[in-house]
């Protein structure tokens, strides 16, 4: 703590690197490394699953949303569960790049690029669900406030329209933030590629970036401003997602703690996904010098902290049922504990509350296998959390005559697996064509980069 | 005054380290050169100031962008919900300001973020696919591990020979002319 | 340089104490009179003043744990004011005694104006209320004592790798604080309107306390910044960090408040909506507007600018304004609640705050003067100044 820069600077970048070696090592993944068997395997797997997704979507468009398991009391099912699940996963990327930048946590440098990419791909997968859930997705523009001959306007008191604004803003801003972060590295690739096509493509994308000091100054200002904007944005997005439920008066949905509890859950799930992706990628591409144990341990700590926040949310849900002495809230708790879906509730507790407790120990936070397994458990647990919130509340709300059961059909599952495939495909394309680590930010971690009068101007 | 023909864009010197470049840029400023720019593979604190940059209007622009975004978001909802399409939803007032907050907030962020990104590009004059410096072969390493300082020919006290000699005194690793 | 604090640290604190002593005696007498005249009203005033005062030491406990966890120069420079505030927790526990004894007069669920249904009555009853308060204070005092004791040991012996030890307890401290303050806020404030329930309230109350503690600590650092050992140590880097964190805290506070409001407004349920309906008449909407102005918009706009953050004067003004707004916000939470006449300000309010805050501040300054104003073996320089 007394010498944060000096000590963490060494830990987040293995010693012995120079500007040239960082540039060469990271850009080589894109420029010179041959297409490996493992990459080909991963991409093929993703591609096959993406075909499953396209088949499902085709069937959905031809037949209708009836191929999903939705029914009269349970009007939201896998589609909304997966929407919330994906969008939550996406949030970690923005948090890593924005909040940790504002907090001057330099360990974020080597994982932010790739976490932001993860955000984009996750948001793409998330966006598919509400779009297709509409039944007639070709009318999606009805959600937008566009003057029309029917003289209709959106209904601003509904959280669903807030969601449209929140998610589309989030998708556009995180795409642009990611692109802005890429510009200098695209220039590096433009200058280093030997292929003519590569020079053209990267050259166009780099927009003539020439590393001018004046440009860097504007660039850094813009980047910091964007980080400052993205932080409240990411919080607002999952808050609005939580509003989708909490504004409704269905038992178990209308809890004022939902906004912070959903945001914490999103970070929890998101960091788990970053770890799931980070651990194999650093091994396969030999990036252990850049994504060090320190990174993994810090992410483990964040997992633990958000696990406790999520636990607080669960505790408050139970306490609400008890304290309000409201019949429906009480029954909801009873239904969670003893109803037909009780297994999912217990499984969610096991995955989200019990398994991550192992992260209190340093040996667990520094063991890639433990981290990987905990992250998988958290991903499953957070999926189950949304399942419990959505399906349990809807299937048995106020009147027993309205109760029903819900289960996902094979098409629900194929859609879910398909979006995972889309995510994998996009991720592998990213690994292949863009620098997975921010090269220019890694350069700033080197000791020789620290010149100038920092105390005066920062 | 007769318009002077400018055969070259400027003279560029290459340096080995950020510290050398910063020192050179400060010396150049001291020598009275005003049309200069430095190029480095990473942002260097204080370097923009030494080459006549370092002041950004962006924060003010972004603030205004956010303000405009938020105001238009709110006015859009106000106009559509109160005037254009008044409709009773669950007995809520037409001007339901608490329900207008989320969309107003998102529009604020969108306005500010778009201003930050496109403002940065505009202030930097990007996209600019062609620039004379790209003619210099070794300049490609400005995006890898080398540091450059360019004194441009339009500088009032530029003189091909003397400027070159001046740059040589700053202990560069190379000095080259940039064709226009 | 830091060792100067042991000799000089007492002087300013003693000056502060004398003014305090004079100011505190009169309000205490008046408050006692108010108790004799109208016990429920006086207790309501007392509860408000207690919540205002308790916010600083309780919030300080959380902040102290937070700064041990995150590290950073901002935490090192405000560690001693925070520790001193935490050491006043036994006094705060003592100040709680009238509320524990007067619960059956003050709270509707205990004075007969509301009967809690079955499972809820297990929670809302006087013995359980007193027992829980005992647990809260026990937890806070134990954690505060451990953190303080280790800090003295660090000053005395400077054992190696002590930060790790702090971190080990700081995590659980934050967790326990979150849990206890949630239930404390339900017991002390939310149950004034026993039909009302908001599950975000504990978080809102806790963040409010942290905000109070943070601005109080900023004011203390600024107050002593031109005396040794802080003179020459506090730089623009520290002020900027304080400003950024304060900006974050006011944004979080606004976020939680507005979320609660939007959700309750939208759902419009008969158990919840009366809370805001009650507060939409008379002076309450104006007060809410002023609180939002003073606790969010003004700090937000001032701290957004670079100079607003780095200028000690503007930072001090913002901190003072937020501290005052915090008192107003707690008043807005507590005063409109039935059964006490809710459309008037009580004269006992005017005396209750000085009567509690005076002695507390006296005790605080005494505690502050007992140790050097800076930890002896921790570097208080902002990280980015190390290679400047």
């Amino acid at each position: 703590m007394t010498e944060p820069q000096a000590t963490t600077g060494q830990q987040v970048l293995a010693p012995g690197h120079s500007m040239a070696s960082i540039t060469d090592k990271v850009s080589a993944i894109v420029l010179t490394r041959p297409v490996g068997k493992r990459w080909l395997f991963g991409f093929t797997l993703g591609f096959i699953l993406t075909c499953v997704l396209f088949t499902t979507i085709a069937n959905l468009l031809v037949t209708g949303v009836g191929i999903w398991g939705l029914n009269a009391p349970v009007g939201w099912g896998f589609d909304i569960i997966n929407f919330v699940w994906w969008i939550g996963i996406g949030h970690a990327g923005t948090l890593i790049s924005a909040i940790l930048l504002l907090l001057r946590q330099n360990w974020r440098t080597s994982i932010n690029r790739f976490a932001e990419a993860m955000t984009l791909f996750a948001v793409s997968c998330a966006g598919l669900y509400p779009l297709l859930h509409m039944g007639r997705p070709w009318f999606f523009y009805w959600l937008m406030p566009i003057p029309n001959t029917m003289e209709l306007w959106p209904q601003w008191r509904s959280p669903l329209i807030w969601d449209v604004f929140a998610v589309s803003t989030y998708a556009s801003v995180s795409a642009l933030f990611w692109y802005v972060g890429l510009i200098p590295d695209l220039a590096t690739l433009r200058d280093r590629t030997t292929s003519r096509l590569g020079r053209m493509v990267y050259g166009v994308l780099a927009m003539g970036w020439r590393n001018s000091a004046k440009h860097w100054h504007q660039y850094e200002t813009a980047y910091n401003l964007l980080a400052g904007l993205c932080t409240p944005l990411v919080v607002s997005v999952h808050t609005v997602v939580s509003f989708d439920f909490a504004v409704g008066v269905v038992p178990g949905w209308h809890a004022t703690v939902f906004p912070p509890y959903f945001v914490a859950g999103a970070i929890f799930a998101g960091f788990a996904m970053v770890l799931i992706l980070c651990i194999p990628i650093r091994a396969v591409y030999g990036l252990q010098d850049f994504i060090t144990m320190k990174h993994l341990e810090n992410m483990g700590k964040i997992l633990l902290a958000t696990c406790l926040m999520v636990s607080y949310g669960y505790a408050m849900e139970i306490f609400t049922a008890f304290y309000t002495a409201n019949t429906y809230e009480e029954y909801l708790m009873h239904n969670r504990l003893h109803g037909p879906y009780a297994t999912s509730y217990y499984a969610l507790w096991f995955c989200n509350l019990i398994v991550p407790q192992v992260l209190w120990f340093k040996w667990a936070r520094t063991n890639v296998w433990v981290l990987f397994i905990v992250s998988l458990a958290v991903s499953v647990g957070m999926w189950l959390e949304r399942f419990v919130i959505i399906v349990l509340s809807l299937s048995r709300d106020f009147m027993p005559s309205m109760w029903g059961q819900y289960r996902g059909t094979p098409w629900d599952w194929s859609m879910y697996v398909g979006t995972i495939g889309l995510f994998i495909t996009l991720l592998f394309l990213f690994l292949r064509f863009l620098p997975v680590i921010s090269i220019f930010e890694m350069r700033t971690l080197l000791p020789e980069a620290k010149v100038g009068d920092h105390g005066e101007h920062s | 005054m007769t318009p002077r023909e400018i055969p070259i864009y400027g003279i560029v010197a290459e340096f080995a380290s950020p510290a050398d470049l910063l020192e050179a840029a400060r010396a150049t400023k001291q020598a009275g050169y005003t049309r200069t720019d430095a190029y480095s593979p990473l942002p260097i604190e204080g370097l923009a100031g030494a080459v006549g940059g370092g002041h950004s209007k962006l924060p003010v622009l972004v603030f205004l962008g956010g303000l405009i975004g938020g105001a238009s978001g709110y006015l859009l909802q106000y106009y559509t919900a109160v005037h254009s399409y008044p409709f009773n939803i669950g007995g809520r007032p037409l001007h339901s300001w608490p329900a207008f907050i989320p969309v107003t907030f998102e529009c604020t962020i969108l306005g500010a973020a778009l201003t930050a990104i496109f403002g940065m590009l505009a202030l930097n004059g990007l996209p600019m696919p062609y620039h004379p410096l790209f003619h210099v072969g070794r300049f490609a390493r400005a995006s890898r591990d080398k540091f450059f300082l360019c004194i441009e020919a339009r500088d009032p006290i530029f003189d091909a020979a003397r400027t070159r000699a001046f740059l040589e005194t700053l202990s560069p690793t190379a000095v080259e002319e940039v064709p226009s | 340089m830091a060792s100067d604090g042991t000799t000089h640290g007492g002087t300013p604190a003693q000056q502060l104490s004398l003014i305090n002593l004079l100011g505190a005696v009169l309000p205490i007498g008046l408050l006692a009179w108010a108790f004799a005249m109208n016990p429920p009203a006086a207790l309501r005033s007392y509860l408000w003043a207690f919540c205002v005062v308790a916010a600083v030491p309780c919030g300080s406990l959380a902040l102290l744990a937070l700064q041990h966890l995150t590290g950073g120069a901002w935490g090192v420079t405000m560690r001693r004011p925070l520790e001193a505030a935490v050491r006043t927790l036994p006094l705060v526990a003592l100040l709680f005694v009238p509320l524990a004894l007067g619960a059956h007069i003050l709270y509707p669920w205990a004075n007969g104006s509301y009967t809690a249904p079955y499972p809820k009555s297990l929670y809302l009853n006087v013995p359980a209320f007193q027992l829980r308060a005992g647990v809260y204070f026990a937890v806070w005092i134990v954690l505060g004592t451990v953190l303080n004791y280790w800090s003295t040991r660090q000053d005395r012996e400077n054992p190696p790798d002590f930060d790790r030890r702090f971190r080990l307890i700081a995590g659980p401290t934050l967790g326990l604080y979150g849990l206890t303050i949630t239930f404390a806020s339900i017991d002390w404030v939310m149950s004034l309107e026993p039909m009302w329930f908001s599950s975000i309230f504990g978080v809102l109350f806790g963040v409010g306390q942290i905000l109070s503690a943070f601005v109080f600590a900023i004011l203390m650092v600024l107050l002593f910044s031109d005396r040794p050992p802080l003179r020459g140590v506090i730089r623009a880097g520290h002020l900027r960090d304080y400003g950024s964190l304060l900006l974050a805290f006011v944004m979080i506070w606004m976020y939680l408040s507005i979320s609660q409001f939007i959700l309750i407004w939208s759902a419009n349920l008969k158990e919840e909506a009366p809370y805001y309906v009650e507060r939409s008449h008379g002076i309450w909407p104006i007060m809410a507007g002023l609180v939002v102005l003073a606790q969010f918009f003004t700090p937000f706009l001032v701290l957004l600018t670079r100079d607003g953050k780095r200028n000690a004067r503007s930072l001090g003004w913002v901190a003072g304004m937020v501290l005052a707004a915090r008192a107003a916000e707690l008043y807005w939470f507590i005063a409109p609640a039935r059964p006490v006449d809710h459309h008037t300000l009580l004269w006992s309010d005017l005396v209750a705050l000085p009567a509690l805050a005076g002695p507390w501040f006296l005790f605080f300054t005494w505690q502050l003067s007992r140790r050097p104003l800076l930890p002896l073996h921790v570097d208080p320089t902002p990280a980015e100044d190390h290679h400047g």
Side-chain angles (χ1 to χ4, degrees), chain B residues 24-34 151 155 157 166 170:
Chain B
R26 285 179 176 156
T28 311
K29 191 180 185 182
Q30 210 122 59
Y33 288 99
T34 48
I151 299 179
D155 192 295
I157 59 170
F166 167 73
L170 301 173

Side-chain angles (χ1 to χ4, degrees), chain C residues 206-282:
Chain C
V207 166
Q209 285 198 328
I210 294 175
L211 187 58
S212 287
F214 189 63
V215 289
F216 181 78
I218 290 179
L219 286 173
M220 287 304 113
V221 171
L222 291 180
L223 193 64
F224 296 116
S225 63
D226 56 348
R227 297 162 197 260
L230 288 181
R231 185 169 57 205
V233 170
I234 300 296
R235 310 188 200 175
H238 293 100
L239 300 184
R240 187 205 43 221
D241 281 2
Y242 297 159
S244 307
L245 264 173
L246 183 56
L247 185 63
F249 283 135
V250 297
M251 284 169 78
I252 293 172
W253 170 82
M254 189 71 246
Y255 164 69
L256 297 170
S257 308
I258 204 74
S259 294
Q260 174 179 288
F261 175 64
I262 291 179
L263 287 179
I264 290 179
W265 181 90
S266 293
N268 203 21
L269 293 176
K270 69 177 193 320
E271 297 93 342
E272 299 176 341
Y275 181 80
Y276 284 109
V277 173
E278 202 70 64
R279 285 159 178 77
S280 62
H281 304 295

